Amino acid sequence: MSSGKPTVAIISLGDMGSGLACLLTAHNYTVTTNVTGRSPDTHARAISSGATLLPDDISLVSSASIILSVVPPRDALATAQRIHSALTSLPEPRTTPLYFADMNAVSPSTIKKIAAVFDTIPDDTLRFIDGSILGGPPTPLSSPEASSLDSPSSNGEDKGYETWTRPLLPTSGPHSIASVSPHLAAVLNTKHISADLGASSGLKMCFASLGKGFAAIAVQAVTTAKRLGVLEDLRSALAEKSPWGLERIEKSVVGMAPKAYRWVREMEEISATHAAVEEGDDMFAPEYIFKGAAEVFRLVAEDTVLGKEKVGKRERGTNADDVAEAIIEGLRAKRKKRE
């Protein structure tokens, strides 16, 4: 631990995970992770974020006070199973409970399956938190020197995290991040919204329905406009009638490419969330909307060069026009394979 603050383990250090690690290490938290077998990019992000690299999951669960699971939705269940295995393999039992916060974009039904992984572990060993992340990775508003120091308020409370833009981290269930440390909860911008397991995940699904659902529609609109030869006319019309819409479309379409592989499963989880609350009434049939969105992102991730793009290392799809061109190229190649 550092400065008496709890040690935070993060799995894994992708774009969001490394952003959270940077925020925490800047405010004097010890952050640990296990990147064994991961890519050189992941190793580099871990080192640059200031995280301590541990050799295995047993080391991770024995030293941390809380684990933040920040992985692609498809890996959420497997990550929980990893931690369960490590906990049950400890040479000596923990003397304090380990908190496991699943912060992933999964449906309420999936979060309950993930929580059930730990049913055989007593509450004084592990406590489960249903969490989610709304917004982009944390970034410092001021210089690195200024943001690396907690700024005390008039009552002596550390407020250095206010020099960062931070996503909102809602949590739900019987336990919260504030149970680990009120200051940690404040730094991470958490809000405990309900005692019910699944509430935070449900909120995430509704929130992502709007942002990522819009991105799928925008990708379809831009690609079709490109194929029809009217993309510039679409831009002109939007610039005149909906300039905010033009800016949002460009940002959504360009930003989507390196994340499309994650969003396939997220759209499927969103579909399951909406379908579950319809209680058999198929008049609205919202699941079909997001199954279609999943297929848009699957095409981008699996059938176009955009699927190879990485955040911060973009070569293709740096504007909406090239995103559309890359998708058209992918569709043509896919059609030729079928023929």
Side-chain angles (χ1 to χ4, degrees):
M1 294 186 183
S2 175
S3 303
K5 294 176 179 176
T7 295
V8 182
I10 300 180
I11 306 173
S12 63
L13 294 186
D15 192 34
M16 179 61 73
S18 60
L20 292 172
C22 287
L23 170 65
L24 291 170
T25 57
H27 295 89
N28 300 317
Y29 282 87
T30 296
V31 175
T32 61
T33 192
N34 173 16
V35 292
T36 303
R38 299 299 303 275
S39 70
D41 283 346
T42 301
H43 279 260
R45 279 194 299 268
I47 293 169
S48 65
S49 71
T52 299
L53 277 56
L54 298 179
D56 51 49
D57 289 339
I58 292 178
S59 302
L60 202 74
V61 302
S62 63
S63 60
S65 297
I66 180 171
I67 295 175
L68 304 181
S69 175
V70 189
V71 299
R74 67 188 183 196
D75 299 331
L77 179 60
T79 300
Q81 291 167 337
R82 274 177 54 189
I83 298 308
H84 178 280
S85 178
L87 271 174
T88 55
S89 301
L90 285 174
E92 298 290 338
R94 288 182 59 96
T95 57
T96 58
L98 171 66
Y99 287 78
F100 181 87
D102 185 292
M103 310 304 297
N104 301 305
V106 296
S107 66
S109 60
T110 296
I111 203 70
K112 291 172 184 176
K113 291 177 184 176
I114 294 170
V117 168
F118 302 107
D119 279 351
T120 58
I121 298 179
D123 193 61
D124 61 359
T125 299
L126 184 131
R127 295 174 181 175
F128 187 84
I129 299 171
D130 170 22
S132 58
I133 303 174
L134 311 183
T139 55
L141 288 170
S142 56
S143 67
E145 292 78 15
S147 62
S148 67
L149 299 173
D150 283 326
S151 304
S153 64
S154 58
N155 63 6
E157 182 184 358
D158 289 341
K159 290 285 189 176
Y161 48 81
E162 293 181 350
T163 65
W164 289 65
T165 60
R166 298 167 296 155
L168 177 63
L169 272 62
T171 60
S172 66
H175 305 293
S176 70
I177 293 175
S179 301
V180 182
S181 161
H183 182 259
L184 176 63
V187 171
L188 289 174
N189 200 24
T190 70
K191 180 181 180 182
H192 200 67
I193 64 171
S194 173
D196 296 331
L197 201 65
S200 176
S201 292
L203 172 60
K204 169 65 176 181
M205 295 293 91
C206 295
F207 186 89
S209 294
L210 299 172
K212 292 163 189 173
F214 176 85
I217 294 171
V219 168
Q220 187 69 66
V222 167
T223 302
T224 298
K226 176 79 172 178
R227 296 176 82 174
L228 292 172
V230 296
L231 181 53
E232 287 308 312
D233 299 288
L234 175 62
R235 277 202 180 99
S236 296
L238 286 167
E240 181 177 343
K241 296 297 183 182
S242 181
W244 69 269
L246 176 60
E247 181 181 356
R248 186 180 176 193
I249 285 173
E250 186 79 26
K251 184 177 180 180
S252 296
V253 170
V254 171
M256 165 277 315
K259 303 172 185 175
Y261 79 99
R262 297 174 64 109
W263 290 2
V264 174
R265 179 61 179 269
E266 190 166 339
M267 292 300 106
E268 293 169 346
E269 294 286 330
I270 288 171
S271 176
T273 302
H274 289 305
V277 299
E278 286 304 299
E279 298 180 346
D281 184 357
D282 62 356
M283 179 181 69
F284 197 37
E287 68 270 26
Y288 299 121
I289 298 172
F290 296 98
K291 285 179 180 177
E295 291 310 309
V296 170
F297 297 135
R298 194 188 313 277
L299 169 71
V300 172
E302 299 178 4
D303 296 314
T304 79
V305 296
L306 298 173
K308 299 178 181 178
E309 292 295 302
K310 303 292 183 183
V311 174
K313 296 183 178 180
R314 301 298 300 274
E315 294 181 6
R316 290 292 307 271
T318 56
N319 56 64
D321 191 277
D322 193 48
V323 169
E325 185 60 41
I327 292 173
I328 292 169
E329 291 168 4
L331 288 168
R332 287 171 180 162
K334 189 175 182 179
R335 189 180 306 114
K336 285 183 180 179
K337 285 182 181 179
R338 288 201 305 263
E339 294 171 352

